[in-house]
Short mmCIF file of all heavy atoms in Angstrom, two decimals:
data_model
loop_
_atom_site.label_atom_id
_atom_site.label_comp_id
_atom_site.label_asym_id
_atom_site.label_seq_id
_atom_site.Cartn_x
_atom_site.Cartn_y
_atom_site.Cartn_z
N SER A 174 7.77 3.73 -4.99
CA SER A 174 8.66 4.49 -5.86
C SER A 174 8.11 4.58 -7.28
O SER A 174 7.14 3.91 -7.64
CB SER A 174 10.03 3.83 -5.89
OG SER A 174 9.93 2.52 -6.47
N ARG A 175 8.75 5.43 -8.08
CA ARG A 175 8.33 5.60 -9.47
C ARG A 175 8.34 4.27 -10.22
O ARG A 175 7.43 3.97 -10.99
CB ARG A 175 9.27 6.57 -10.19
CG ARG A 175 9.04 8.02 -9.88
CD ARG A 175 9.78 8.90 -10.86
NE ARG A 175 11.19 9.05 -10.57
CZ ARG A 175 12.17 8.92 -11.46
NH1 ARG A 175 11.89 8.57 -12.69
NH2 ARG A 175 13.41 9.13 -11.11
N SER A 176 9.35 3.48 -9.96
CA SER A 176 9.48 2.21 -10.67
C SER A 176 8.53 1.15 -10.15
O SER A 176 8.28 0.15 -10.82
CB SER A 176 10.92 1.69 -10.55
OG SER A 176 11.17 1.29 -9.21
N GLY A 177 8.03 1.39 -8.93
CA GLY A 177 7.23 0.37 -8.29
C GLY A 177 8.07 -0.69 -7.59
O GLY A 177 7.55 -1.56 -6.91
N GLY A 178 9.39 -0.57 -7.74
CA GLY A 178 10.26 -1.58 -7.18
C GLY A 178 10.57 -1.42 -5.70
O GLY A 178 11.06 -2.35 -5.06
N SER A 179 10.29 -0.24 -5.18
CA SER A 179 10.54 0.00 -3.76
C SER A 179 9.27 0.49 -3.08
O SER A 179 8.56 1.33 -3.62
CB SER A 179 11.63 1.07 -3.58
OG SER A 179 12.86 0.62 -4.07
N THR A 180 9.01 -0.08 -1.93
CA THR A 180 7.88 0.34 -1.11
C THR A 180 8.35 0.50 0.33
O THR A 180 9.40 -0.02 0.72
CB THR A 180 6.74 -0.69 -1.16
OG1 THR A 180 7.23 -1.96 -0.69
CG2 THR A 180 6.17 -0.85 -2.56
N ASP A 181 7.57 1.21 1.09
CA ASP A 181 7.88 1.39 2.50
C ASP A 181 6.57 1.50 3.27
O ASP A 181 5.57 2.00 2.74
CB ASP A 181 8.72 2.65 2.71
CG ASP A 181 9.28 2.73 4.12
OD1 ASP A 181 9.60 1.67 4.70
OD2 ASP A 181 9.41 3.84 4.66
N TYR A 182 6.61 1.03 4.52
CA TYR A 182 5.41 1.03 5.34
C TYR A 182 5.75 1.47 6.75
O TYR A 182 6.81 1.14 7.29
CB TYR A 182 4.80 -0.37 5.41
CG TYR A 182 4.36 -0.92 4.06
CD1 TYR A 182 5.23 -1.67 3.29
CD2 TYR A 182 3.09 -0.66 3.57
CE1 TYR A 182 4.84 -2.17 2.05
CE2 TYR A 182 2.68 -1.16 2.34
CZ TYR A 182 3.57 -1.90 1.59
OH TYR A 182 3.18 -2.40 0.36
N ALA A 183 4.81 2.18 7.36
CA ALA A 183 4.93 2.46 8.78
C ALA A 183 4.73 1.16 9.55
O ALA A 183 3.99 0.28 9.12
CB ALA A 183 3.90 3.49 9.19
N ASP A 184 5.35 1.07 10.69
CA ASP A 184 5.25 -0.14 11.49
C ASP A 184 3.80 -0.49 11.83
O ASP A 184 3.45 -1.67 11.92
CB ASP A 184 6.06 0.01 12.78
CG ASP A 184 7.56 -0.04 12.53
OD1 ASP A 184 7.97 -0.49 11.44
OD2 ASP A 184 8.31 0.38 13.42
N VAL A 185 2.98 0.52 12.01
CA VAL A 185 1.60 0.28 12.44
C VAL A 185 0.76 -0.40 11.36
O VAL A 185 -0.31 -0.94 11.66
CB VAL A 185 0.91 1.58 12.90
CG1 VAL A 185 1.53 2.09 14.18
CG2 VAL A 185 0.93 2.63 11.80
N VAL A 186 1.22 -0.38 10.11
CA VAL A 186 0.44 -1.02 9.04
C VAL A 186 1.21 -2.14 8.35
O VAL A 186 0.66 -2.85 7.52
CB VAL A 186 -0.03 0.00 7.99
CG1 VAL A 186 -0.81 1.13 8.64
CG2 VAL A 186 1.14 0.56 7.18
N LYS A 187 2.47 -2.28 8.68
CA LYS A 187 3.31 -3.28 8.01
C LYS A 187 2.72 -4.67 8.20
O LYS A 187 2.32 -5.06 9.29
CB LYS A 187 4.72 -3.21 8.57
CG LYS A 187 5.78 -3.90 7.73
CD LYS A 187 7.17 -3.59 8.27
CE LYS A 187 7.54 -2.13 8.10
NZ LYS A 187 8.91 -1.83 8.56
N GLY A 188 2.66 -5.41 7.10
CA GLY A 188 2.09 -6.75 7.14
C GLY A 188 0.60 -6.79 6.94
O GLY A 188 0.02 -7.87 6.73
N ARG A 189 -0.06 -5.63 7.01
CA ARG A 189 -1.52 -5.57 6.81
C ARG A 189 -1.89 -4.81 5.56
O ARG A 189 -2.90 -5.12 4.92
CB ARG A 189 -2.18 -4.91 8.03
CG ARG A 189 -1.95 -5.64 9.33
CD ARG A 189 -2.79 -5.04 10.45
NE ARG A 189 -2.46 -3.65 10.74
CZ ARG A 189 -3.33 -2.65 10.70
NH1 ARG A 189 -4.60 -2.87 10.38
NH2 ARG A 189 -2.94 -1.41 11.00
N PHE A 190 -1.12 -3.79 5.22
CA PHE A 190 -1.42 -2.94 4.06
C PHE A 190 -0.41 -3.23 2.95
O PHE A 190 0.76 -3.51 3.21
CB PHE A 190 -1.32 -1.46 4.44
CG PHE A 190 -2.39 -0.96 5.37
CD1 PHE A 190 -3.28 -1.82 6.00
CD2 PHE A 190 -2.52 0.41 5.60
CE1 PHE A 190 -4.26 -1.35 6.85
CE2 PHE A 190 -3.50 0.90 6.44
CZ PHE A 190 -4.36 0.02 7.08
N THR A 191 -0.88 -3.11 1.73
CA THR A 191 -0.02 -3.30 0.56
C THR A 191 -0.29 -2.20 -0.45
O THR A 191 -1.44 -1.99 -0.84
CB THR A 191 -0.26 -4.66 -0.10
OG1 THR A 191 -0.06 -5.70 0.86
CG2 THR A 191 0.69 -4.87 -1.27
N VAL A 192 0.76 -1.53 -0.87
CA VAL A 192 0.64 -0.47 -1.88
C VAL A 192 1.08 -1.03 -3.22
O VAL A 192 2.02 -1.85 -3.31
CB VAL A 192 1.48 0.77 -1.49
CG1 VAL A 192 2.96 0.44 -1.38
CG2 VAL A 192 1.23 1.91 -2.46
N SER A 193 0.40 -0.60 -4.27
CA SER A 193 0.76 -1.00 -5.62
C SER A 193 0.38 0.11 -6.58
O SER A 193 -0.36 1.03 -6.22
CB SER A 193 0.06 -2.31 -6.01
OG SER A 193 -1.34 -2.16 -5.99
N ARG A 194 0.89 0.02 -7.80
CA ARG A 194 0.58 1.05 -8.78
C ARG A 194 0.42 0.43 -10.15
O ARG A 194 1.06 -0.59 -10.47
CB ARG A 194 1.67 2.12 -8.80
CG ARG A 194 3.03 1.67 -9.24
CD ARG A 194 4.08 2.78 -9.01
NE ARG A 194 3.80 3.96 -9.80
CZ ARG A 194 4.27 5.18 -9.53
NH1 ARG A 194 5.03 5.37 -8.45
NH2 ARG A 194 3.98 6.21 -10.30
N ASP A 195 -0.43 1.05 -10.93
CA ASP A 195 -0.64 0.67 -12.32
C ASP A 195 -0.49 1.94 -13.14
O ASP A 195 -1.46 2.70 -13.29
CB ASP A 195 -2.02 0.04 -12.50
CG ASP A 195 -2.24 -0.51 -13.90
OD1 ASP A 195 -1.55 -0.05 -14.84
OD2 ASP A 195 -3.10 -1.36 -14.06
N ASN A 196 0.70 2.17 -13.63
CA ASN A 196 0.96 3.42 -14.35
C ASN A 196 0.12 3.53 -15.62
O ASN A 196 -0.27 4.62 -16.02
CB ASN A 196 2.44 3.54 -14.69
CG ASN A 196 3.28 3.85 -13.47
OD1 ASN A 196 2.80 4.37 -12.47
ND2 ASN A 196 4.56 3.50 -13.53
N ALA A 197 -0.17 2.41 -16.25
CA ALA A 197 -0.98 2.43 -17.47
C ALA A 197 -2.39 2.96 -17.18
O ALA A 197 -3.00 3.59 -18.05
CB ALA A 197 -1.05 1.04 -18.08
N LYS A 198 -2.87 2.70 -15.97
CA LYS A 198 -4.18 3.18 -15.58
C LYS A 198 -4.10 4.47 -14.76
O LYS A 198 -5.13 4.96 -14.28
CB LYS A 198 -4.92 2.11 -14.77
CG LYS A 198 -5.26 0.86 -15.56
CD LYS A 198 -6.05 -0.12 -14.71
CE LYS A 198 -6.44 -1.35 -15.52
NZ LYS A 198 -7.22 -2.33 -14.71
N SER A 199 -2.88 4.96 -14.57
CA SER A 199 -2.67 6.17 -13.76
C SER A 199 -3.34 6.06 -12.40
O SER A 199 -3.97 7.01 -11.91
CB SER A 199 -3.20 7.41 -14.50
OG SER A 199 -2.45 7.66 -15.66
N THR A 200 -3.18 4.91 -11.78
CA THR A 200 -3.85 4.64 -10.52
C THR A 200 -2.91 3.94 -9.55
O THR A 200 -2.11 3.09 -9.96
CB THR A 200 -5.11 3.78 -10.73
OG1 THR A 200 -5.97 4.44 -11.66
CG2 THR A 200 -5.86 3.57 -9.43
N VAL A 201 -3.02 4.32 -8.31
CA VAL A 201 -2.28 3.69 -7.23
C VAL A 201 -3.30 3.12 -6.25
O VAL A 201 -4.37 3.69 -6.05
CB VAL A 201 -1.36 4.70 -6.53
CG1 VAL A 201 -0.59 4.05 -5.40
CG2 VAL A 201 -0.41 5.32 -7.54
N TYR A 202 -2.94 2.00 -5.65
CA TYR A 202 -3.87 1.31 -4.76
C TYR A 202 -3.24 1.13 -3.38
O TYR A 202 -2.02 1.03 -3.23
CB TYR A 202 -4.20 -0.07 -5.33
CG TYR A 202 -4.76 -0.03 -6.73
CD1 TYR A 202 -3.93 -0.24 -7.83
CD2 TYR A 202 -6.10 0.26 -6.95
CE1 TYR A 202 -4.42 -0.19 -9.12
CE2 TYR A 202 -6.60 0.31 -8.25
CZ TYR A 202 -5.77 0.08 -9.32
OH TYR A 202 -6.27 0.14 -10.60
N LEU A 203 -4.10 1.04 -2.40
CA LEU A 203 -3.69 0.67 -1.06
C LEU A 203 -4.67 -0.40 -0.57
O LEU A 203 -5.82 -0.10 -0.28
CB LEU A 203 -3.68 1.87 -0.10
CG LEU A 203 -3.14 1.57 1.29
CD1 LEU A 203 -1.65 1.27 1.22
CD2 LEU A 203 -3.41 2.74 2.24
N GLN A 204 -4.19 -1.63 -0.56
CA GLN A 204 -5.00 -2.74 -0.05
C GLN A 204 -4.82 -2.80 1.46
O GLN A 204 -3.69 -2.93 1.95
CB GLN A 204 -4.55 -4.05 -0.68
CG GLN A 204 -5.30 -5.27 -0.19
CD GLN A 204 -6.77 -5.26 -0.58
OE1 GLN A 204 -7.11 -4.95 -1.72
NE2 GLN A 204 -7.63 -5.62 0.36
N MET A 205 -5.92 -2.70 2.17
CA MET A 205 -5.87 -2.67 3.63
C MET A 205 -6.61 -3.89 4.18
O MET A 205 -7.82 -4.03 3.97
CB MET A 205 -6.51 -1.38 4.15
CG MET A 205 -5.91 -0.13 3.55
SD MET A 205 -6.50 1.40 4.32
CE MET A 205 -8.25 1.31 3.96
N ASN A 206 -5.88 -4.76 4.84
CA ASN A 206 -6.45 -5.97 5.43
C ASN A 206 -6.32 -5.92 6.94
O ASN A 206 -5.58 -5.11 7.50
CB ASN A 206 -5.72 -7.20 4.89
CG ASN A 206 -5.86 -7.36 3.39
OD1 ASN A 206 -6.88 -6.98 2.80
ND2 ASN A 206 -4.84 -7.92 2.76
N SER A 207 -7.04 -6.80 7.59
CA SER A 207 -6.99 -6.92 9.06
C SER A 207 -7.17 -5.56 9.71
O SER A 207 -6.40 -5.17 10.62
CB SER A 207 -5.65 -7.55 9.49
OG SER A 207 -5.48 -8.81 8.89
N LEU A 208 -8.16 -4.84 9.28
CA LEU A 208 -8.38 -3.48 9.75
C LEU A 208 -8.72 -3.45 11.23
O LEU A 208 -9.36 -4.36 11.76
CB LEU A 208 -9.48 -2.81 8.93
CG LEU A 208 -9.04 -2.37 7.53
CD1 LEU A 208 -10.25 -2.08 6.66
CD2 LEU A 208 -8.13 -1.15 7.60
N LYS A 209 -8.27 -2.38 11.87
CA LYS A 209 -8.47 -2.16 13.29
C LYS A 209 -9.17 -0.82 13.48
O LYS A 209 -9.04 0.08 12.63
CB LYS A 209 -7.13 -2.14 14.02
CG LYS A 209 -6.26 -3.35 13.78
CD LYS A 209 -4.90 -3.16 14.43
CE LYS A 209 -3.98 -4.34 14.19
NZ LYS A 209 -2.65 -4.16 14.84
N PRO A 210 -9.85 -0.63 14.60
CA PRO A 210 -10.48 0.67 14.86
C PRO A 210 -9.49 1.83 14.81
O PRO A 210 -9.84 2.94 14.38
CB PRO A 210 -11.07 0.49 16.26
CG PRO A 210 -11.36 -0.97 16.34
CD PRO A 210 -10.24 -1.63 15.60
N GLU A 211 -8.26 1.58 15.20
CA GLU A 211 -7.25 2.65 15.17
C GLU A 211 -6.81 3.02 13.75
O GLU A 211 -6.06 3.98 13.57
CB GLU A 211 -6.03 2.27 16.00
CG GLU A 211 -5.45 0.92 15.73
CD GLU A 211 -5.96 -0.14 16.70
OE1 GLU A 211 -7.18 -0.17 16.96
OE2 GLU A 211 -5.14 -0.96 17.17
#
C-alpha cells in the first residue's frame, strides 16, 4: 500500500517473497527467497 502498512501475497509466494518500499528513494523492492524453477 501507499503507506507501506499493508501488503498482500499470492499463495504461491507467501512466506518466500517480501515486498517493501522506500519512498525517499522512490524505489520498491521484492526480496525473493527459496526460489523454485516455477
Side-chain angles (χ1 to χ4, degrees):
S174 64
R175 283 193 280 133
S176 69
S179 295
T180 59
D181 191 34
Y182 299 91
D184 288 344
V185 292
V186 304
K187 196 172 293 183
R189 299 188 297 123
F190 291 10
T191 303
V192 61
S193 61
R194 64 189 297 159
D195 185 337
N196 288 337
K198 294 183 178 180
S199 294
T200 303
V201 180
Y202 304 97
L203 185 68
Q204 178 66 44
M205 305 188 298
N206 298 329
S207 302
L208 284 164
K209 306 174 181 180
E211 50 264 45

